[in-house]
Amino acid sequence: MKLFLSWLLVALPLGWGVTQSIKKATPLFSQPPAQTAPAPVP
Amino acid sequence: MSSPFSALARESTVGQPGFNRWLVPPAAIAVHMCIGQVYGFSVFNKPLTLALGTDITKVQFAYQIALMMLGLSAAVFGKWVERSGPRKTMLASLFLFCGGLVLSSLAVRIQSLPLLLFGYGIVGGIGLGLGYISPVSTLVKWFPDRPGMATGMAIMGFGGGALIGSPLAQELMKHFAGEGTTGAGEALLVMAGSYSVFMLFGAFLVRVPAEGWRPEGWVPKAATQAITGASVAVDTAWKTPQFWLLWVVLCMNVSAGIGVLGRAADMCQDMFGVSAAIGAGFTGLLSIFNMGGRFAWSSVSDLTGRKAVYSIYFILGAALYAVLPYAQQTQNKTLFVACTALIISMYGGGFATIPAYLRDLFGSYQVGAIHGRLITAWSVAAVIGPGLINSLFTSRVAGGIPKAEAYNGTFYLMCALLGVGLVSNLLVRPVSERHHLKQP
């Protein structure tokens, strides 16, 4: 139990930090929005 | 009657029979992930500049002093760390590092730049040095069967510290910002309090192994060409060619890594014309590889041997740097990101593998103190690495080369630095027997 709690105590903040970095890195992998052609003027 | 401080003495921290050695890595990680905040200091640049009414270079100076003090204090206090044991050292690190944060907060309140430089740079920097070497040396002693993996875990915590420190500071400043305040002072104070709790947890959880302790069922391998069974004292070790060869190895590896890490966001934007948000995302991705590489590569070194893994860092690193200009010319972002991520993982790996390399060569007797002296290579690299890159890049841009291509020259410079590191690594030989301690 002590072992589990000790690891949990360090894993939680590290996991939070990694999640924040992944969030920050997301734009790197997102495709630019596709250009839609303007609707033809009637 | 025992003194109230006797619980801090090395003798009081000896692990009793049945103590689970896997409790020591979380203690080490707890300390390292707090002091790793220093890597995330840049988020305070703007708020502190505003709060202190000064310019950004003066604020950044606090960070540079802290890194310099990290190396110096690790070198100067290494022997004291070995003598005093990890608990006392971790507590000293707590008081100095968190005290430095409190002084920085006070500096914001009274608008004093000198107090920031003294608090964060000098006081906090000494705390960094003590906190960095103490758990590493303890882990090497608990895990003689897997020293690379063990030190990799702690030093991974240091890399993780930046991942936690930056967003935490940003969230806190957002929370405390208001009329006439950037929230930086309050954020620093809250961080000092939170980090104290984690470091205190580490200090009280940590134990040292009893004299002659060995993992159950583990039989030390006979001394080989690469691993000595003997011990070398710190005062002797730093006079050997092996120490200085490893110093160059670390310095070159760090200088080459900082080349990418220090300018990652700008580089990505200049070379591929991407937005600032994507540049920041690229930095975030590199931070994850920096952290993961520390654990992964140093664990690999337990299987391949230290010399082999450093040779991989240098040869593969140079090859990857040589590919980067091609990635720019073909505008292949995926190739660029993959290569730089791998380079940064080896940069982290270099930090994490060095304590095990020292232990192989000099034994575990005073490995913390030897590590402390070797860390001066990091301080030097932190100055020369970015200095070389920035000056070469600026001169190429001034010479009329487009920004997108101006980085190519710096990549070849990184290849050369890695080449120097490779030669130093290949020259490492076992320490002469005349340096071995008879009775450590």
Side-chain angles (χ1 to χ4, degrees):
Chain A
M1 190 63 176
K2 190 178 171 187
L3 187 68
F4 173 74
L5 288 176
S6 304
W7 277 99
L8 187 68
L9 198 70
V10 293
L12 283 177
L14 279 177
W16 179 76
V18 171
T19 313
Q20 296 299 313
S21 279
I22 291 173
K23 258 193 223 166
K24 199 171 146 192
T26 312
L28 193 61
F29 301 105
S30 57
Q31 294 294 322
Q35 295 288 317
T36 47
V41 179
Chain B
M1 206 176 84
S2 64
S3 107
F5 295 107
S6 61
L8 307 182
R10 185 182 188 93
E11 305 73 54
S12 308
T13 57
V14 175
Q16 297 305 308
F19 175 78
N20 189 338
R21 63 175 173 160
W22 288 96
L23 282 166
V24 183
I29 295 170
V31 171
H32 266 234
M33 73 182 185
C34 292
I35 58 173
Q37 181 274 343
V38 69
Y39 271 157
F41 181 78
S42 59
V43 294
F44 284 111
N45 282 347
K46 248 187 195 160
L48 287 177
T49 305
L50 285 172
L52 299 175
T54 182
D55 60 83
I56 203 160
T57 48
K58 287 179 183 155
V59 168
Q60 280 174 332
F61 195 41
Y63 165 78
Q64 286 162 348
I65 296 176
L67 276 192
M68 201 179 69
M69 290 310 293
L70 187 160
L72 282 178
S73 62
V76 172
F77 297 113
K79 276 168 89 173
W80 177 78
V81 168
E82 290 288 352
R83 227 179 18 249
S84 308
R87 185 173 290 165
K88 196 185 275 185
T89 318
M90 285 177 178
L91 280 177
S93 167
L94 181 166
F95 285 117
L96 290 163
F97 179 68
C98 296
L101 292 176
V102 173
L103 288 175
S104 309
S105 171
L106 186 64
V108 174
R109 186 158 285 240
I110 63 170
Q111 296 195 314
S112 165
L113 177 69
L115 185 59
L116 175 78
L117 301 182
F118 173 74
Y120 194 86
I122 295 181
V123 178
I126 297 173
L128 282 176
L130 297 181
Y132 192 87
I133 56 170
S134 167
V136 171
S137 129
T138 309
L139 280 170
V140 166
K141 289 167 186 152
W142 273 114
F143 290 86
D145 46 343
R146 277 175 282 185
M149 180 212 66
T151 56
M153 278 190 280
I155 295 176
M156 176 188 73
F158 195 83
L163 302 190
I164 300 166
S166 304
L168 178 64
Q170 279 167 332
E171 290 296 325
L172 288 170
M173 283 191 284
K174 213 190 298 171
H175 177 76
F176 288 113
E179 195 70 37
T181 173
T182 59
E186 293 84 348
L188 285 162
L189 206 56
V190 172
M191 287 172 90
S194 333
Y195 285 156
S196 299
V197 174
F198 277 95
M199 292 177 83
L200 205 59
F201 158 77
F204 281 97
L205 191 63
V206 78
R207 298 285 186 282
V208 290
E211 198 65 46
W213 176 88
R214 276 177 193 173
E216 221 174 284
W218 178 72
V219 183
K221 286 179 197 155
T224 63
Q225 261 259 301
I227 304 174
T228 174
S231 296
V232 181
V234 59
D235 290 330
T236 310
W238 84 294
K239 290 174 192 154
T240 62
Q242 286 81 356
F243 175 89
W244 291 104
L245 287 168
L246 288 196
W247 195 95
V248 174
V249 162
L250 183 66
C251 189
M252 294 300 117
N253 192 55
V254 175
S255 299
I258 284 180
V260 166
L261 209 53
R263 293 194 67 108
D266 294 340
M267 201 179 273
C268 196
Q269 289 173 66
D270 293 339
M271 289 175 70
F272 297 96
V274 296
S275 66
I278 292 182
F282 177 57
T283 314
L285 186 80
L286 293 189
S287 305
I288 296 173
F289 276 85
N290 180 14
M291 181 182 127
R294 291 168 188 242
F295 178 67
W297 283 110
S298 57
S299 300
V300 166
S301 78
D302 285 336
L303 305 171
T304 61
R306 261 44 92 171
K307 198 173 192 171
V309 92
Y310 271 97
S311 297
I312 295 173
Y313 299 159
F314 292 128
I315 296 169
L316 183 59
L320 291 168
Y321 264 120
V323 169
L324 293 184
Y326 171 77
Q328 187 274 324
Q329 282 152 18
T330 54
Q331 286 294 293
N332 189 337
K333 267 184 273 183
T334 312
L335 180 65
F336 177 78
V337 170
C339 290
T340 45
L342 203 49
I343 288 171
I344 291 304
S345 77
M346 293 189 286
Y347 160 79
F351 273 119
T353 318
I354 209 79
Y357 208 163
L358 290 171
R359 177 254 183 204
D360 290 351
L361 289 168
F362 303 110
S364 57
Y365 170 54
Q366 286 189 326
V367 69
I370 301 170
H371 185 211
R373 294 196 186 177
L374 198 83
I375 283 174
T376 49
W378 175 8
S379 300
V380 172
V383 176
I384 62 161
L388 274 175
I389 310 293
N390 291 340
S391 56
L392 183 63
F393 175 75
T394 315
S395 68
R396 282 171 67 86
V397 170
I401 298 172
K403 261 188 176 181
E405 291 163 30
Y407 288 100
N408 296 350
T410 65
F411 296 145
Y412 295 127
L413 176 66
M414 297 299 104
C415 291
L417 293 181
L418 290 170
V420 174
L422 178 66
V423 172
S424 296
N425 183 46
L426 293 176
L427 288 174
V428 173
R429 297 280 179 274
V431 177
S432 162
E433 273 181 32
R434 68 194 159 91
H435 296 307
H436 292 178
L437 274 183
K438 299 288 175 275
Q439 289 246 305

